[in-house]
Amino acid sequence: MRQHIAVRNKTFTKPLMKSEKNQLSGSVESPRRFPWLLGVVVILIVAGAGYYFKSPKVEPDQQAGRNKFGNPQGQVTAVVSDLATQSDVPVYLNGLGTVTGLRTVTVKSRVDGELVHVGFKEGALVHEGDLLAEIDPRPYEVQLMQAEGQLLRDEALLKNAQLDLERYRTLLEQDSIASQQAATQESVVKQYQGIVVTDRGVVANAKLQLSYAKITAPITGRLGLRIVDQGNIVKASDANGIVVITQTQPITVVFTLPEDQLPAVMKQLHAGKNLAIDAYDRSGKNKLAQGQLLAVDNQIDLNTGTVKLKGLFANDDTVLFANQFVNIKMKIDTLQNATTVPSAAIQSGNAGTFVYVVKDEQTVSTRPVKLGAAYEDKVAVLEGLQVNERVVVEGADKLREGAKVKLVDRNAVAAPAPAPAIVKPADDKQGRRLKWGAK
């Protein structure tokens, strides 16, 4: 066996043919012949990763020569500025209100009967005492006649009893009759006097019922839409009535304010001041009417934490209607000689409100400010700014502390860009239209 194995080992150590060498070179000899290639690749990968993680990060804007605000390094920003001024600033309290008629009356019939006449125009203004409608008066005229007839009969009986009493008194003086008969006649006269008084009351009531047949306006105001048409039977127990009258001149507005603003209002009222109130439309831009505070409610609403107030408006131009929604501005005080800036100059940040102040060297600095009341497009600055200091009102979104600025006029209008030239397509020699942009 050993000799055989030795023989076989010799066969493997014999020189191989070329084809056999090629088959064995890829599987056996290449890993042993080029081990340094794998090491070089690993070294290159490690070096590249270390360079990538250790190199400083460069933002895309900075690669393009821009700072973290998106502006080119050293570029001057064009801004619009304005000066801080000194003026009186009114302090207003704002609330939501509803227009309410000073008096609202539902006109009802006080007697039963047929509605035979309607004498008003829907939506018209009426005065107190104007005839609005009429109920059929004939049943009440008959009742009046009956009452007057009863009164005449009882008055005649009373007169006859009084004459008998005078005769009895004469006879009593002559001792011709007993005193009891004269006393009885006196009681009869008093009975008839009571009956006559009752009859007169019946007559007065009949006249009153007859007067109710004509329905008149109890107040001066604007009429609503007609509720009952002519020809219907109306009753005094009807809940809807005939028409509704709302007094609109003057008219009131009920509005609410937060409870923490109530002490300032009460302070002015206790001082005897009349607080002016302005009513604006739903958008809060158009002023509708001007009035004054009339009353303050006696309790605060626990659900909303607000208190109700009522304002009175003359409403001579009838611009205010009942149940109309309005915005209320009530002047409560005036800040004298306050430093004011445009509202556009106020900026907000994590540290609070601030403004950009323009320095003499045409740079800006941030300045924290404490704000007061605002009126129209002005805001009062209580602390942090002096009069005549220049603040940025437009272009502040591109600024930072110490940024360079260029002041431009707000009214400056940029020149219009030139209109692009119109290029007509050319024709080739064969008269065919070439494509746009072809050379």
Side-chain angles (χ1 to χ4, degrees), residues 256-259 297 299-308:
T256 58
L257 289 178
E259 59 180 330
D297 198 1
Q299 59 183 352
I300 296 174
D301 191 341
L302 296 177
N303 297 324
T304 61
T306 59
V307 61
K308 293 181 179 180

Side-chain angles (χ1 to χ4, degrees), residues 197-211:
V197 172
T198 302
D199 291 341
R200 289 174 180 173
V202 174
V203 171
N205 181 65
K207 290 181 179 179
L208 183 61
Q209 298 300 314
L210 180 60
S211 66

Side-chain angles (χ1 to χ4, degrees), residues 160-345:
N160 183 55
Q162 289 174 344
L163 292 175
D164 290 342
L165 178 59
E166 292 177 0
R167 296 189 189 101
Y168 290 158
R169 286 175 179 176
T170 302
L171 294 174
L172 180 61
E173 294 175 357
Q174 299 174 358
D175 292 332
S176 300
I177 60 173
S179 60
Q180 183 179 359
Q181 189 174 359
T184 302
Q185 188 62 29
E186 287 181 0
S187 64
V188 172
V189 170
K190 290 181 178 180
Q191 290 178 4
Y192 281 122
Q193 287 178 344
I195 293 174
V196 169
V197 172
T198 302
D199 291 341
R200 289 174 180 173
V202 174
V203 171
N205 181 65
K207 290 181 179 179
L208 183 61
Q209 298 300 314
L210 180 60
S211 66
Y212 288 157
K214 292 184 177 181
I215 302 174
T216 58
I219 62 173
T220 299
R222 182 181 295 275
L223 291 168
L225 301 181
R226 185 174 61 253
I227 301 175
V228 179
D229 294 329
Q230 180 177 339
N232 286 276
I233 301 298
V234 295
K235 296 182 179 180
S237 60
D238 292 341
N240 295 329
I242 298 175
V243 71
V244 177
I245 303 177
T246 302
Q247 185 174 354
T248 58
Q249 294 176 332
I251 202 168
T252 60
V253 174
V254 177
F255 62 99
T256 58
L257 289 178
E259 59 180 330
D260 55 354
Q261 296 179 354
L262 183 59
V265 177
M266 300 307 297
K267 180 181 178 181
Q268 299 295 329
L269 291 179
H270 292 159
K273 295 182 179 180
N274 293 326
L275 299 180
I277 298 177
D278 295 331
Y280 288 78
D281 62 357
R282 184 179 292 271
S283 64
K285 298 180 180 180
N286 301 319
K287 183 177 178 180
L288 301 177
Q290 184 177 11
Q292 63 180 3
L293 183 63
L294 181 63
V296 180
D297 198 1
N298 60 354
Q299 59 183 352
I300 296 174
D301 191 341
L302 296 177
N303 297 324
T304 61
T306 59
V307 61
K308 293 181 179 180
L309 299 92
K310 180 179 288 188
L312 182 65
F313 296 82
N315 199 29
D316 294 331
D317 53 358
T318 65
V319 69
L320 297 179
F321 281 80
N323 297 332
Q324 180 181 0
F325 176 83
V326 292
N327 288 283
I328 295 297
K329 293 183 178 180
M330 182 172 62
K331 185 178 179 181
I332 196 70
D333 198 1
T334 301
L335 298 178
Q336 302 292 336
N337 299 325
T339 302
T340 60
V341 296
S343 302

